[in-house]
Structure formats: C-alpha cells, structure tokens
C-alpha cells in the first residue's frame, strides 16, 4: 500500500488577481538516485528549486533507488519522503533484463503516482533523459490529459560499447529519443548551447540551463583549510566514463608528469577512480604514474560528503575533455560543484564552459581542447602565489557564475509562457 503523502506547503507571497498554478504540481521523473548518488540527482534538485520558485508549483521528484528491494511489476515503493522542499518517490532500480525492458517501455508506475496525486492537479511533467519508448507513451498520456510534457536533455552519446544486444538497444534508444521523441515533446530543457541550437532548428521551445547544483545547500559549507602550504593541491572527482568518452585522465597525468620534471611541487587527488582503474583505462600511463607516485593520491569511490571535502580543500579542481558530440551536448556538473565549494576550476573549452570561467578569477580554461593547451592552463595555475588562490576562492564565493539564482529570470520567462502564469507574481525568499 502506498503510504499517505503529506505535501509540505511552502509559504507563497504574490500579488495577482489570481494564479492558476497555486496548489498545482509539476512532476520531475528520471533515473536519478537522490539525494546525491549520481550527477543527474544534482541537476534535478537544482532545476526543481528553480521551477518551484518561478512557478509557485510544488515539485514532486520520481527517481530510482538501487538499495530498495525488488518488487514485481511497476508498483510504487513505500519510500515516499521529503527532501528539503520536495516530495520524493523512489522506484527500485531495474536489475534484470526483464525489469529493464519494462522500465524502458512502460509508464505504469508513473500513471499510478499521477492517479494518486490527482490527474487534475498536475500541470506539467519534466522527463530527464527518459527512455525513448516510455517517453513517447508519456507524451501521449500527457496529451490525452492536458498535461504539458517537457523533456530535459543533457547528453547525446555515440555508439555504445556495451555487449550485444544491450548495445543495439542503447543505440536505438538514443537515436529515437534525441532525433524524434524530444522533438515531438516540443518543450525541451537543454544543458548546452549545442542542444539548444539543434532543437531550435527543429522548431522546439527550448530553455538553456547548464548542469547545476544547489549551491545554497548547507552540505557545501564545509570548513576550508588555510592556504599556507608550500605546494598546491589539485583534485579530480568523478568518473571518466565507461569508454573514456568524457574526461581525459591521461592529459592530467601527462601534464603533471611534465611539471614534476620542471621542478614544481604539487599533490593531485583522484576520487571516483582508483589507480588500478586508471591504468586499465590507460595502460600506457604506467611509467608516469610510477614516477608521480609520491605526488598522487587515489581515493577510489567516496561518499558525496567526502568528495565535497576534497574539492573544498583543493586549490584547484580539474578535468579535461576533448571535442566530440558527447562533450558538446553535455555540460559538466563538476564545474558547478567546484564553484559551490568555492574552488576554481582548470579545464578545456568543451561544451560552453567558457561562458562560466574567467581566467585568473574563477579558474583557467585552456585555449583549445588538446593536451598541450591543457598543460599550459595548469602551468598558469601552479605559478600563482597563495594570496592569488585565496582571492580566486573569495571571488567565486561572492560571484559564483553558476549560482542557481542567476537562472531564475530566463526560467521564469520560459515557464510563464509555457504554463500561462500571470506576470504579476512577486517572489520572496522562502
């Protein structure tokens, strides 16, 4: 049985003759594991905060949980709980081929939640990178019930490196969703300029929001170390992707290999990947890793709170990406998370990250997406004195370019037109 849901009513102050969306709900669904088990959870929570602020709707998030016991069929688990402002529903993470097949082809559990809430109380559903066939079913369901459907698109992967037949299923799903179903949804939230340009050219109604984190969350307010060391600390937190389609860890290792031979002192912390995994990705790095042994620290997989502490106590966080469709279509959550920790970033100009990095103030972005240019960006950082690093951290704290508040205005305009909200709404801090 589904336990009774008590929606937390947030204080709303507005000046208008009427507001059609008060006490209405917007559903946000996807494969995110809340509150912070994957990058998608950070984006969904940040976007949900923006949406709730600009629409005055209550946002209900429907995600997955790999820790829940398997249950037959598409049923809602009893773990409906409140995370801050948002009510969260969780469904057991599919594990068997049959469970995955049902998840990517059916929306039974979404319909069950909708019926529980009241179909007349739901004004919109946002689907995060949702499986193509299920997304098309959801689109048709929304059309029949006068609910606005919005697709949140943040990735566009190339050919899958999975084994047969899952590789063919994944490739077909990506093709169908990105080239056809998203366009049928018409309303698309995009994580990058690349996706905005693509869907605008297809006549879609787009909103550009990069991958954010809720920088106001108290978990980012960790105690920072004093910047009085003789060497700088750099950190990489994340995963390079199963097929190395994202981050180029070899560029990072090779850059610091050169810097050590040039006499610089430093420490590089890797979290999310261990040394064994790194050398499995890049066996050619064996010699470099061995020579850098006293300068490298591999943490392996860590809990999110530990990752935040590592980033916060680093002089710089870093990641390197080359140019391909994967990196053009996506946007690195690492950038927003580092800023939330007040730590400057060193990276390459993949996607549209250049719009959010000011050299020598919020970090360093290389001139091009190649190893030599990335090395030059790291070199620029390592010659800075402690006072300049302290200045950069304070600048980010006071001028975070990826603060969720910076995205309210354009989001408000988008949702006002989409949901026909009166322009006379006035927002206050809640």
């Amino acid at each position: 049985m589904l336990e009774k849901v008590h929606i937390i009513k947030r204080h709303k102050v507005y000046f208008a003759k009427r507001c059609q969306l008060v006490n209405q709900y917007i559903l946000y669904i996807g494969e995110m594991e809340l509150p912070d088990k994957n990058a998608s959870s950070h984006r969904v929570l940040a976007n949900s905060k923006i949406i709730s602020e600009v629409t005055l709707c209550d946002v209900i998030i429907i995600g997955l949980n790999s820790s829940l016991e398997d249950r037959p069929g598409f049923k809602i688990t009893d773990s409906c709980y409140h995370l801050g402002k948002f009510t969260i529903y969780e469904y057991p993470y599919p594990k068997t081929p049959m469970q995955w097949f049902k998840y990517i082809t059916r929306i039974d559990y979404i319909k069950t939640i909708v019926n529980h809430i009241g179909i007349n109380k739901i004004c919109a559903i946002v689907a995060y990178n949702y499986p193509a066939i299920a997304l098309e079913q959801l689109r048709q369901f929304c059309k029949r019930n006068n609910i606005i459907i919005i697709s949140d698109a943040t990735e566009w992967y190339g050919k899958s490196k999975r084994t047969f037949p899952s590789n063919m299923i994944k490739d077909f799903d990506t093709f169908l969703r990105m080239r056809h179903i998203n366009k049928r949804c018409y309303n698309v939230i995009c994580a990058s300029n690349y996706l905005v340009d693509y869907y605008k050219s297809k006549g879609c109604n787009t909103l550009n929001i990069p991958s954010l984190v809720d920088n106001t969350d108290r978990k980012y307010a960790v105690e920072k170390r004093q910047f009085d060391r003789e060497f700088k600390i750099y950190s990489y937190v994340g995963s390079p992707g199963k097929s190395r389609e994202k981050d180029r860890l070899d560029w990072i290792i090779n850059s610091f290999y050169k810097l050590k031979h040039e006499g610089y002192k430093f420490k590089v912390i890797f979290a999310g990947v261990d040394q064994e995994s790194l050398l499995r990705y890049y066996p050619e790095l064996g010699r470099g890793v061995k020579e850098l042994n006293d300068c490298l620290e591999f943490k392996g997989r860590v809990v999110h709170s530990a990752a935040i502490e590592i980033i916060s106590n680093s002089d710089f966080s870093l990641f390197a990406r080359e140019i391909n469709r994967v990196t053009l279509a996506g946007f690195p959550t690492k950038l927003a998370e580092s800023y939330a920790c007040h730590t400057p970033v060193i990276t390459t100009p993949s996607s549209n990250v250049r719009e959010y990095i000011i050299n020598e103030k919020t970090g360093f972005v290389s001139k091009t997406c190649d190893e030599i240019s990335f090395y030059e960006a790291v070199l620029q950082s390592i010659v800075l004195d402690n006072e300049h690093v302290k200045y950069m951290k304070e600048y980010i704290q006071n001028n975070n370019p990826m603060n969720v508040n910076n995205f309210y205005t354009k989001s408000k305009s988008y949702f006002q037109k989409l949901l026909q909200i009166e322009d006379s709404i006035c927002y206050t801090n809640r």
Side-chain angles (χ1 to χ4, degrees):
M1 292 292 292
L2 177 68
E3 65 181 14
K4 188 176 180 180
V5 181
H6 299 282
I7 303 297
I8 298 176
K9 298 298 181 183
R10 299 185 298 279
H11 180 57
K12 303 180 178 73
V13 178
Y14 57 94
F15 301 95
K17 291 182 179 180
R18 63 188 176 86
C19 178
Q20 303 98 316
L21 298 183
V22 172
N23 297 324
Q24 290 281 301
Y25 301 104
I26 293 178
L27 271 53
Y28 214 133
I29 67 174
E31 293 181 22
M32 51 278 183
E33 288 195 78
L34 299 158
D36 51 26
K37 293 182 182 178
N38 51 21
S40 58
S41 64
H42 301 301
R43 175 176 175 83
V44 168
L45 285 173
N47 285 7
S48 295
K49 179 177 182 179
I50 293 172
I51 291 171
S52 67
E53 292 286 338
V54 303
T55 66
L56 299 182
C57 291
D58 289 290
V59 177
I60 296 177
I61 303 175
I62 305 172
L64 301 177
N65 188 334
S66 56
S67 301
L68 294 177
E69 295 181 1
D70 295 339
R71 299 191 177 201
F74 281 80
K75 297 180 180 178
I76 305 171
T77 69
D78 293 332
S79 58
C80 170
Y81 61 97
H82 296 292
L83 182 66
K85 299 178 182 179
F86 312 116
T87 299
I88 312 296
Y89 286 92
E90 291 179 320
Y91 186 79
Y93 203 92
K95 296 181 176 67
T96 68
M98 181 56 67
Q99 288 171 350
W100 272 112
F101 178 77
K102 290 180 178 179
Y103 178 77
I104 67 176
T105 60
R106 295 168 57 178
I107 58 169
D108 303 46
Y109 76 118
I110 301 297
K111 291 180 181 179
T112 306
I113 294 174
V114 168
N115 290 331
H116 172 76
I117 297 168
I119 200 165
N120 60 324
K121 294 183 179 179
I122 297 172
C123 58
I125 297 178
V126 184
Y128 176 88
N129 291 335
Y130 213 61
I133 295 175
L135 180 58
E136 174 60 16
Q137 290 191 28
L138 185 64
R139 185 190 70 84
Q140 293 179 16
F141 172 78
C142 289
K143 184 177 180 180
R144 289 194 302 269
N145 294 282
N146 199 30
I147 298 172
I148 294 171
I149 180 71
I150 306 167
S151 181
D152 183 10
T154 69
E155 60 185 32
W156 195 340
Y157 285 111
K159 288 186 69 67
S160 174
K161 301 291 180 63
R162 299 180 181 182
T163 57
F164 180 84
S166 60
N167 61 335
M168 293 186 63
I169 296 173
K170 181 65 175 177
D171 290 343
F172 176 72
D173 178 78
T174 298
F175 172 81
L176 191 60
R177 180 177 68 253
M178 301 306 290
R179 294 196 180 275
H180 297 285
I181 310 302
N182 280 349
K183 291 187 289 185
R184 292 180 185 178
C185 291
Y186 176 68
N187 304 300
V188 187
I189 299 176
C190 303
S192 63
N193 291 348
Y194 179 88
L195 290 178
V196 168
D197 292 342
Y198 176 78
Y199 286 112
K200 270 190 174 181
S201 71
K202 305 302 179 183
C204 294
N205 178 33
T206 63
L207 172 64
N208 191 352
I209 301 181
S211 297
L212 303 174
V213 301
D214 183 0
N215 55 285
T216 64
D217 195 314
R218 286 178 295 178
K219 66 185 176 184
Y220 293 110
V222 301
E223 185 177 351
K224 312 293 193 300
R225 74 172 178 85
Q226 297 298 315
F227 293 91
D228 55 1
R229 300 192 184 213
E230 296 181 0
F231 57 88
K232 290 185 174 59
I233 296 179
Y234 298 81
S235 63
Y236 168 87
V237 176
S239 169
K242 295 180 180 179
S243 304
R244 306 187 307 185
E245 69 273 14
K246 286 186 178 180
D247 300 328
R248 294 297 304 264
L249 300 187
D250 54 336
W251 293 3
I252 296 176
I253 295 294
N254 290 337
S255 294
F256 284 101
Y257 180 82
K258 292 179 183 178
L259 290 171
K260 182 175 183 179
H261 281 267
E262 291 169 6
Y264 292 102
K265 295 181 179 180
F266 53 82
K267 182 178 181 180
V268 185
I269 301 173
F270 290 88
V273 59
D274 55 32
Q275 182 172 327
E276 181 181 348
S277 299
L278 175 70
L279 294 179
R280 188 166 60 249
Y281 289 135
Y282 303 99
E284 70 274 12
L285 294 180
R287 177 185 173 186
V289 170
K290 185 176 181 180
E291 290 193 28
L292 286 169
N293 183 57
D294 59 334
C295 305
L296 304 181
E297 182 177 350
F298 291 91
K299 298 283 190 179
R301 290 180 63 87
V302 298
V303 296
H304 191 241
S305 58
I308 290 174
E309 186 174 356
I310 291 170
I311 298 171
S312 297
N313 289 307
S314 300
D315 295 281
F316 295 91
S317 68
L318 42 77
F319 60 95
R321 295 183 174 182
E322 55 190 336
I323 291 293
N324 53 47
R325 192 175 68 183
V326 174
T327 60
L328 284 172
F331 191 96
T333 306
K334 295 178 178 67
L335 184 60
E337 184 144 72
S338 188
Y339 284 166
C341 298
H342 310 152
T343 299
V345 178
I346 304 170
T347 189
T348 53
S350 62
S351 187
N352 47 298
V353 299
R354 195 186 293 276
E355 297 177 16
Y356 302 99
I357 298 179
I358 306 174
N359 281 344
E360 298 189 23
K361 288 188 176 181
T362 64
F364 293 92
V365 57
S366 62
K367 294 180 181 179
T368 56
C369 289
D370 59 67
E371 184 177 326
I372 294 176
S373 187
F374 178 74
Y375 158 77
E376 292 172 347
V378 178
L379 179 61
Q380 286 182 281
S381 73
I382 207 167
V383 298
L384 297 177
D385 57 32
N386 289 332
E387 284 301 313
H388 195 107
V389 175
K390 182 180 179 181
Y391 158 77
M392 294 177 75
K393 283 182 167 282
E394 290 175 349
Y395 183 92
I396 294 170
Q397 182 175 3
N398 298 321
N399 305 276
N400 183 352
M402 303 198 75
N403 188 316
V404 291
N405 296 337
N406 296 345
F407 297 87
Y408 283 161
T409 300
K410 67 178 181 180
S411 299
K412 176 182 175 181
S413 175
Y414 181 84
F415 280 98
Q416 278 184 336
K417 294 177 182 177
L418 188 63
L419 305 178
Q420 299 180 349
I421 305 175
E422 294 185 5
D423 193 43
S424 51
I425 294 175
C426 176
Y427 302 96
T428 63
N429 293 327
R430 298 197 277 268

